[in-house]
Amino acid sequence: MSIQLYNTLSRRKDPLAPRDPKNVRMYVCGPTVYDFAHVGNARPVVVFDVLYRLLRHEFGEDHVTYVRNITDVEDKIIAAAKERDEPIDGLTARTTQAYHEDMAAIGTMEPTHEPRATDHIPQMIAMTERLIERGHAYAAEGHVLFSVPSMPEYGRLSRLNRQELIDGARVDVAPYKRDPADFVLWKPSTPEQPGWDSPWGRGRPGWHIECSAMSAEILGEHFDIHGGGQDLIFPHHENELAQSVCAQMTAPDSGQPFANIWMHNGYVVANGEKMSKSLGNFFTVRQLLEEGVRGEVIRLALLSAHYRQPLDITREKLVEMKAQLDRFYIALGHVADVPLSDVALPEDMLAALSDDLNTPEALAVLHELASDLNKAAAPAEKARLKGALLGAGQLLGLLQADPEVWFKGTAAGGLDEAEIESRIAARIAARKAKDFAEADRIRDELVAERIILEDRPDGTTDWRRK
RNA sequence: GGCCCGGUGGCAGAGUGGUUAUGCAGGGGCCUGCAAAGCCUCGUACGUCGGUUCGAUUCCGGCCCGGGCCUCCA
């Protein structure tokens, strides 16, 4: 099935035509590790995780290379370390680990490669030197700047022209810039700031060069998909594109694109405004997890809207997502004893995801499968639908938990299983004795403990935590 | 100021030039000792004003409203 993806560069859906179907290559901008990931940061991770799963299904598990970097040198890191009086290494290591834990909790697979900026300083220096040699960059007062006027195509991705950038500038132009639109590739470090020796003195890279250097190193100078949040379109991706194209070793100036398709997910919003650290209107994945919101609930919420649309994560939405997952797991729990049949993924599921990752449509398919499963009577039909639901869920990174664990897993402060089972036994005895008042009393007690009972036709009683 | 997105039923959220999105919540029914779960069923939505069309929520234009970007940001 042909995969169509909305390309920020062309502003339309373009068919994905990998340069090498045996090695489909995707680069997604990862975190700058100075603080916990908020829900907005988690969105691209989940979105591109679904794309990664789709690509692996389409081209084969061994034929997709997914790179997501860790930016561990950046001025915000320096500032955060200073503010907390914590060594930079400790801060970045701790934050990276928390990031890994949080992203695993929301069901994301690990990328094929996760390069760190600080491991690629020589490559960044080499790329910067090449840009100077080619007249696309110049050194000034310990800085190296990319010369925007040297690249006529600059601004194509963000659809901003140089004059507009200058007119709309919100910051003062540094005096060493030849052109107000020029941006930093390398900047000097004071003795207390992290720095590396370079032809321009001890310093550190600018914000954009690490992705150019690392993508070229791992994926090569031309690859298939480059992704990130919409807020990276400008300046980060525009500048990255400029550097990468101008520094290409193979076929320089050939007009060959750096990445064929640029994808950008929409913002997570709060009360209609973009969630961001600078506005302070964010909550972290970790906070939600600690409040008892399950990772899968957060994941479903992030997939509940199309990835390019704004997404408001509210308490109400999280409650609804939990209810939706309960519906799936109840359906799966009812066929727990049905052997899993190995079936092809539903075509309409693949069609939905192949159409620019239409996850709401894919979720509708999932719900239809659950309804069909609930209605199925024949064992073969149950097995087929169970397999289809689990397979389709796997493509979205959902429904992979054991229903028993989903419903009966430990609840902090809740009744333990033995206690619940003993009360259920007492209730069954009361029902057998037609003492329904007692049976209902026990059930009401359990409901107060957030335990829901479900009497089965065979006389047994199943339960789940609400 | 320039450039982008959006405005769909109570809520969330896809989509389409004419025919059911889907889910949550709600009403009715079946099932059940009663529930739960499930099944059946109901509500008749597309900001606004024009235009194109046999027919527009869907295409075009104006307007109103909301959000974003214009070198911190996923």
Side-chain angles (χ1 to χ4, degrees):
Chain A
M1 192 172 299
S2 162
I3 296 174
Q4 307 282 321
L5 298 169
Y6 185 87
N7 188 352
T8 305
L9 209 50
S10 64
R11 310 277 160 146
R12 58 163 196 247
K13 288 181 196 173
D14 286 333
L16 173 65
R19 305 179 70 93
D20 175 7
K22 296 286 182 199
N23 184 20
V24 182
R25 289 161 289 170
M26 172 163 79
Y27 187 97
V28 175
C29 287
T32 300
V33 283
Y34 67 102
D35 200 359
F36 292 121
H38 68 237
V39 182
N41 298 317
R43 189 175 192 188
V45 184
V46 169
V47 165
F48 290 104
D49 180 66
V50 171
L51 180 56
Y52 181 42
R53 290 166 190 260
L54 177 66
L55 295 174
R56 283 161 59 95
H57 177 268
E58 189 71 17
F59 296 96
E61 292 189 359
D62 300 329
H63 297 154
V64 183
T65 306
Y66 172 24
V67 179
R68 188 184 65 210
N69 65 289
I70 297 275
T71 296
D72 59 355
V73 51
E74 217 269 341
D75 286 6
K76 285 196 294 293
I77 297 173
I78 298 173
K82 190 174 176 187
E83 193 178 313
R84 295 192 184 117
D85 197 22
E86 182 177 6
I88 285 177
D89 289 358
L91 172 68
T92 58
R94 182 171 62 76
T95 310
T96 300
Q97 191 190 337
Y99 178 79
H100 286 153
E101 289 167 1
D102 295 346
M103 295 308 110
I106 56 175
T108 61
M109 299 174 68
E110 288 177 18
T112 323
H113 300 279
E114 192 175 54
R116 284 157 208 264
T118 50
D119 291 336
H120 295 80
I121 302 291
Q123 290 90 331
M124 296 186 220
I125 291 173
M127 185 173 267
T128 302
E129 287 183 302
R130 207 178 315 137
L131 287 167
I132 293 175
E133 282 162 24
R134 292 185 182 174
H136 288 297
Y138 57 93
E141 298 181 28
H143 295 70
V144 179
L145 292 119
F146 184 88
S147 169
V148 167
S150 77
M151 190 204 187
E153 292 270 274
Y154 186 87
R156 198 170 140 230
L157 180 69
S158 57
R159 307 244 161 144
L160 293 169
N161 69 47
R162 200 181 126 266
Q163 195 54 50
E164 284 165 357
L165 294 178
I166 295 166
D167 292 346
R170 294 178 297 190
V171 296
D172 293 336
V173 175
Y176 44 79
K177 287 189 181 180
R178 287 184 195 165
D179 187 277
D182 292 350
F183 58 89
V184 169
L185 298 173
W186 188 263
K187 56 180 146 189
S189 290
T190 59
E192 60 274 14
Q193 289 172 331
W196 291 263
D197 290 331
S198 81
W200 318 285
R202 183 173 174 281
R204 61 192 192 281
W207 174 34
H208 318 294
I209 192 79
E210 85 274 16
C211 288
S212 290
M214 293 189 286
S215 64
E217 167 95 359
I218 301 169
L219 295 178
E221 293 180 328
H222 309 282
F223 53 95
D224 300 299
I225 299 167
H226 193 124
Q230 278 174 356
D231 45 1
L232 295 183
I233 296 173
F234 190 88
H236 185 56
H237 286 165
E238 189 72 60
N239 292 353
E240 196 185 326
L241 173 63
Q243 294 157 358
S244 291
V245 168
C246 291
Q248 277 164 3
M249 307 275 286
T250 55
D253 306 318
S254 66
Q256 278 202 74
F258 163 47
N260 282 340
I261 295 183
W262 288 81
M263 293 175 68
H264 295 94
N265 63 275
Y267 300 122
V268 171
V269 300
N271 300 317
E273 275 191 316
K274 174 186 172 187
M275 179 181 286
S276 75
K277 289 187 178 167
S278 51
L279 287 174
N281 60 344
F282 63 91
F283 38 90
T284 64
V285 171
R286 184 150 291 219
Q287 282 172 328
L288 291 178
L289 293 171
E290 282 170 358
E291 285 173 26
V293 178
R294 317 235 194 140
E296 192 168 350
V297 169
I298 300 171
R299 183 181 180 93
L300 181 59
L302 289 169
L303 295 175
S304 67
H306 182 84
Y307 78 93
R308 283 190 282 116
Q309 294 301 122
L311 175 64
D312 203 345
I313 303 266
T314 59
R315 297 284 153 187
E316 297 72 40
K317 180 168 286 181
L318 292 171
V319 168
E320 186 190 329
M321 294 304 117
K322 170 66 164 56
Q324 289 198 26
L325 287 171
D326 283 350
R327 176 174 188 260
F328 290 126
Y329 280 117
I330 287 169
L332 288 169
H334 286 169
V335 292
D337 54 346
V338 173
L340 190 55
S341 104
D342 192 24
V343 294
L345 288 177
E347 276 302 309
D348 43 3
M349 179 78 193
L350 290 170
L353 292 180
S354 297
D355 181 13
D356 195 31
L357 234 50
N358 191 336
T359 54
E361 186 77 42
L363 291 169
V365 173
L366 224 52
H367 275 108
E368 281 158 14
L369 285 171
S371 293
D372 291 346
L373 179 58
N374 283 332
K375 280 180 264 189
E381 186 68 354
K382 284 187 183 181
R384 184 185 73 77
L385 287 163
K386 179 182 178 181
L389 183 56
L390 286 172
Q394 187 170 38
L395 205 51
L396 293 170
L398 298 171
L399 311 186
Q400 302 306 298
D402 181 338
E404 283 272 315
V405 175
W406 177 260
F407 287 119
K408 300 185 179 177
T410 52
L415 292 180
D416 67 35
E417 277 198 51
E419 177 63 22
I420 293 165
E421 296 290 358
S422 111
R423 294 200 199 181
I424 285 174
R427 179 169 169 275
I428 287 173
R431 289 182 72 213
K432 272 189 182 154
K434 304 279 187 213
D435 184 355
F436 295 119
E438 172 64 5
D440 291 351
R441 190 192 62 75
I442 294 170
R443 183 171 59 200
D444 290 346
E445 254 179 35
L446 287 169
V447 167
E449 299 281 350
R450 302 177 63 77
I451 306 296
I452 308 293
L453 300 187
E454 197 173 316
D455 294 332
R456 310 303 301 274
D458 62 5
T460 61
T461 295
D462 201 4
W463 62 274
R464 65 175 186 275
R465 292 187 202 276
K466 194 176 175 183

